[in-house]
Amino acid sequence: VAPIGRHGGAPNPLIEKVVFDLKVGDLSQLFDTPAGILCIKCTGIIPPQPGVDLAKVRPALEKEVIDQK
């Protein structure tokens, strides 16, 4: 499963909230989703990339969001 990002990266808002409350090594409760039962384990937290300027990457991020919608 791909990493889940904030603001729309999860199948429903409750899953997103639970995911971002997990610490490394924690397991979530079970979720019933259309794809089946889901349990999430936090195996790591991806830190932000140092030295990235928001002004330079903003156009690419906006395009990504528009493409997802």
Side-chain angles (χ1 to χ4, degrees):
V1 175
I4 296 174
R6 288 199 188 266
H7 310 295
N12 76 41
L14 176 61
I15 294 174
E16 184 175 310
K17 181 189 178 329
V18 170
V19 164
F20 285 98
D21 287 341
L22 293 175
K23 306 291 184 237
V24 175
D26 288 351
L27 289 173
S28 73
Q29 73 236 29
L30 297 176
F31 295 100
D32 191 13
T33 68
I37 296 174
L38 174 69
C39 178
I40 300 166
K41 179 178 182 180
C42 180
T43 59
I45 298 173
I46 301 170
Q49 295 177 351
V52 174
D53 182 22
L54 179 60
K56 291 180 181 176
V57 297
R58 185 177 200 107
L61 294 173
E62 288 175 348
K63 182 181 181 323
E64 182 180 335
V65 169
I66 291 169
D67 290 346
Q68 287 179 1
K69 288 183 177 185

